[in-house]
Amino acid sequence: MLLAGTIISPSFAQDKPVQGGTLIYLEQQAHTNLYPPAGGFYPNGGVLNQITDKLTYQNPQTLEIEPWLAESWEVNDTATEYTFKLKPGITFSDGTPLDAKAVAANYDTFGLGNKELKYPVSEVINNYDHAEVVDDLTVKFHFKHPSPGFLQGTSVIGSGIVSPATLALPYDALGDATKIVGSGPFVVESETLGKELNLKVREDYNWGPAKFEHQGRAYLDGIKYLVTPEDSVRIGGLLSGQADIIRQIQAYDEPQVNDAGFEIFAPNTRGVNNSIAFRPDNPLVADLKVRQALSLATNRQEIVDTLFSANYPVATSVISQHAAGYVDESSKLVFDQEKAKALFAEAGWTPGADGILEKDGKKLDLTVYVSLPQPQNEAVLQLVAQQWAQVGVKLNVLAGDAGSRTLDQLDPLKTPVTVAMVGRADPDVIKSGFYPKNRDWLLQKGGSSDKVQSFVDDKLNGLLEGLASETDRTKRLAIAGEIQGYVLDQAYIIPFFEEPQAFATAPYVHGLGFEAVGRPSFYNVWLTR
């Protein structure tokens, strides 16, 4: 078993890398949209990481930012101007140059969005103003206010550079992978939407991250993605030799994979932990005592012990212990059913004839939708429902179709509880989850939903804006710590466990690497089957 985020160096994992072969990759879900800022969805990121490059590379061991498409960069003292010098000779797969003009076009779209083409603003870019093309290989970014997280933001999966021709297409067209023209080591060859995607190596690729030992074309000739939703089919395909790598190996399958001599990788995602969040605009969870009681009624250790393995540590704060700015808040995350019952009573909730708590003629009856990308999420939520039932709370766990789920998730009256999790190796990840203009997990008035009546937390929003603009690293990390404490004091969220990305590979697969938040890179992979 490897440590989280480990990259196998080609020179040490095997005597000599072998060129050739096609990697068969079984993916749990189909990609949805390959606009780079949509890369946070794991299946999207797993494709984008192979066909696009970023300005910088974040070393998954040190978390330092290293050169990639950009040879060097300068940042002014107030973090309002970033100037990048590009490596010469880089081209997109259609032969057009990847120059300052192309990079500027990408970031102007990522940073500002495009209403006409329906491109949303990237959640990793804060306070963006515009890009300036200084010369063919120099691009300068200007910000309205300090943006200390921007440099790290240039390294994330959501900041892959695509050709201006790709950006000229409407957002909805980018669900078709064949429309994506990037500069990465692989190129989209063919696709059967929702079922299969084939990538082929780019022979002239010669601009990998500067500190990689391996340069030049990828070792593989190609990658075949097969969408395989059933866990048992993915495991069976791997162990029978029909597949080389699978994503989302479930914890209960880990023993048979290990026993067969195959390898499991579980890189940490270094962001907000696998959690549920409350929507206080819903009167049922508006009372702090109710939210605190629900947190006390949640046995997080039982969730991990029942459903997961050592690759899924119990969360001890809002963000991962491997995330920048982490503060141990485990003292605020205790399990105590008696205290929970006492708080419900203080809040005026008393058991009805059926055992469910009631107040003013209403039952404490809550609803949450299953999140398919999260591991065993339905089982997790069903176990939480059992735990909450012991204190008189009903939790309805719904699968729902994609359409109803999307609409209901924007209505706090229909979904007082939601699943929350996001990965990124920068403190800005907290803002991504809670800020009204980003993921808006709590659903605040003025945010992503027009269904919200009144809930706003100005203190939280002020802290999040401070986190995104504080240039002093020590002060910025202190703000990150303050937010973690505040969010838990308000019982806005119940973190369950630290979520890894779990993969398993056949013994003849070598060189598998991961970016800082667990998306796979196949650039260094080679096969000896």
Side-chain angles (χ1 to χ4, degrees):
M1 178 111 20
L2 295 181
L3 297 175
T6 297
I7 284 182
I8 304 172
S9 170
S11 62
F12 295 104
Q14 192 69 215
D15 289 336
K16 186 178 180 181
V18 177
Q19 184 172 304
T22 296
L23 185 78
I24 308 299
Y25 177 23
L26 303 188
E27 166 59 60
Q28 183 195 36
Q29 295 176 272
H31 66 263
T32 54
N33 192 292
L34 298 178
Y35 172 52
F41 181 55
Y42 295 125
N44 297 350
V47 177
L48 283 166
N49 228 20
Q50 324 312 324
I51 62 176
T52 65
D53 298 322
K54 275 76 78 176
L55 286 179
T56 63
Y57 176 76
Q58 186 170 30
N59 187 307
Q61 278 80 48
T62 66
L63 299 187
E64 294 295 318
I65 304 299
E66 300 174 356
W68 193 347
L69 296 179
E71 290 182 322
S72 61
W73 52 85
E74 294 179 354
V75 186
N76 71 349
D77 291 341
T78 56
T80 55
E81 295 179 357
Y82 290 72
T83 305
F84 290 84
K85 188 73 173 178
L86 302 176
K87 187 184 299 184
I90 301 172
T91 59
F92 293 107
S93 59
D94 62 0
T96 57
L98 193 158
D99 54 14
K101 186 177 179 181
V103 172
N106 274 260
Y107 274 89
D108 277 351
T109 303
F110 300 164
L112 301 172
N114 184 321
K115 290 184 178 178
E116 182 181 354
L117 297 177
K118 299 183 179 178
Y119 285 118
V121 174
S122 169
E123 65 180 346
V124 304
I125 301 176
N126 292 305
N127 305 324
Y128 187 83
D129 190 69
H130 71 281
E132 173 190 356
V133 176
V134 178
D135 59 42
D136 286 350
L137 295 177
T138 308
V139 58
K140 187 174 187 176
F141 300 109
H142 299 263
F143 293 83
K144 297 172 185 173
H145 306 288
S147 189
F150 180 69
L151 182 60
Q152 192 273 344
T154 64
S155 74
V156 303
I157 188 63
S159 296
I161 305 298
V162 294
S163 76
T166 297
L167 287 177
L169 299 172
Y171 177 83
D172 292 342
L174 302 193
D176 180 348
T178 64
K179 305 296 185 187
I180 311 300
V181 178
S183 64
F186 294 93
V187 180
V188 176
E189 183 176 38
S190 64
E191 178 179 31
T192 303
L193 277 173
K195 295 182 178 179
E196 179 178 327
L197 174 67
N198 292 289
L199 306 185
K200 64 180 180 182
V201 70
R202 186 170 171 189
E203 296 287 352
D204 63 345
Y205 185 82
N206 193 28
W207 42 82
K211 293 189 178 182
F212 271 24
E213 182 180 348
H214 169 213
Q215 295 293 324
R217 63 154 275 178
Y219 298 120
L220 294 169
D221 288 337
I223 306 167
K224 180 185 287 291
Y225 293 73
L226 297 173
V227 178
T228 314
E230 292 294 328
D231 295 340
S232 60
V233 177
R234 291 198 307 282
I235 285 289
L238 178 71
L239 297 181
S240 67
Q242 298 177 64
D244 306 317
I245 177 172
I246 63 173
R247 190 182 76 82
Q248 195 81 313
I249 172 179
Q250 304 296 356
Y252 51 74
D253 283 325
E254 290 182 7
Q256 66 169 322
V257 172
N258 283 323
D259 291 346
F262 287 53
E263 199 156 21
I264 296 172
F265 298 81
N268 192 280
T269 49
R270 289 195 175 92
V272 177
N273 289 316
N274 186 299
S275 312
I276 53 174
F278 296 106
R279 273 77 184 272
D281 203 62
N282 185 313
L284 295 176
V285 293
D287 189 332
L288 172 60
K289 289 181 179 178
V290 170
R291 299 195 301 272
Q292 290 173 327
L294 290 167
S295 181
L296 286 164
T298 305
N299 188 342
R300 302 171 313 115
Q301 187 67 55
E302 183 184 45
I303 293 171
V304 171
D305 290 347
T306 303
L307 299 173
F308 296 104
S309 69
N311 289 320
Y312 302 75
V314 173
T316 52
S317 188
V318 176
I319 58 176
S320 163
Q321 60 185 307
H322 301 288
Y326 160 80
V327 174
D328 186 347
E329 297 282 5
S330 50
S331 64
K332 298 177 179 177
L333 293 166
V334 299
F335 169 58
D336 191 328
Q337 285 186 331
E338 296 308 312
K339 283 187 178 178
K341 292 176 182 176
L343 277 175
F344 282 130
E346 287 181 27
W349 291 89
T350 56
D354 56 1
I356 299 176
L357 295 174
E358 296 178 350
K359 180 181 179 182
D360 300 331
K362 292 185 177 179
K363 293 183 180 295
L364 196 45
D365 187 335
L366 308 174
T367 294
V368 64
Y369 274 99
V370 172
S371 174
L372 291 177
Q374 271 50 66
Q376 299 194 74
N377 190 241
E378 182 172 4
V380 169
L381 296 174
Q382 292 290 2
L383 186 49
V384 172
Q386 293 174 26
Q387 294 171 354
W388 287 5
Q390 295 172 22
V391 295
V393 178
K394 184 176 182 181
L395 178 64
N396 304 288
V397 179
L398 304 182
D401 58 73
S404 62
R405 183 169 56 242
T406 300
L407 290 175
D408 289 355
Q409 286 280 33
L410 293 173
D411 188 342
L413 292 181
K414 293 182 177 178
T415 54
V417 183
T418 190
V419 175
M421 182 273 163
V422 59
R424 184 185 170 188
D426 186 90
D428 273 354
V429 71
I430 309 174
K431 176 176 176 286
S432 290
F434 292 99
Y435 196 62
K437 299 296 184 184
N438 296 138
R439 299 195 180 208
D440 193 22
W441 285 330
L442 307 181
L443 290 184
Q444 297 192 51
K445 192 171 181 60
S448 59
S449 170
D450 60 4
K451 304 287 187 183
V452 178
Q453 297 300 309
S454 61
F455 173 69
V456 173
D457 189 328
D458 290 328
K459 179 177 180 180
L460 175 60
N461 295 339
L463 287 169
L464 295 170
E465 289 164 359
L467 180 70
S469 59
E470 176 55 62
T471 57
D472 183 293
R473 178 171 172 77
T474 300
K475 292 179 180 177
R476 189 165 180 247
L477 295 182
I479 295 172
E482 185 177 355
I483 295 172
Q484 292 166 71
Y486 180 74
V487 165
L488 293 177
D489 286 341
Q490 294 299 314
Y492 284 147
I493 190 170
I494 304 175
F496 295 146
F497 57 87
E498 301 205 358
E499 183 175 317
Q501 274 295 282
F503 299 81
T505 65
Y508 52 80
V509 176
H510 309 282
L512 179 61
F514 298 93
E515 61 163 11
V517 294
R519 270 71 171 180
S521 169
F522 299 130
Y523 175 57
N524 286 322
V525 167
W526 80 99
L527 308 174
T528 54
R529 60 185 173 206

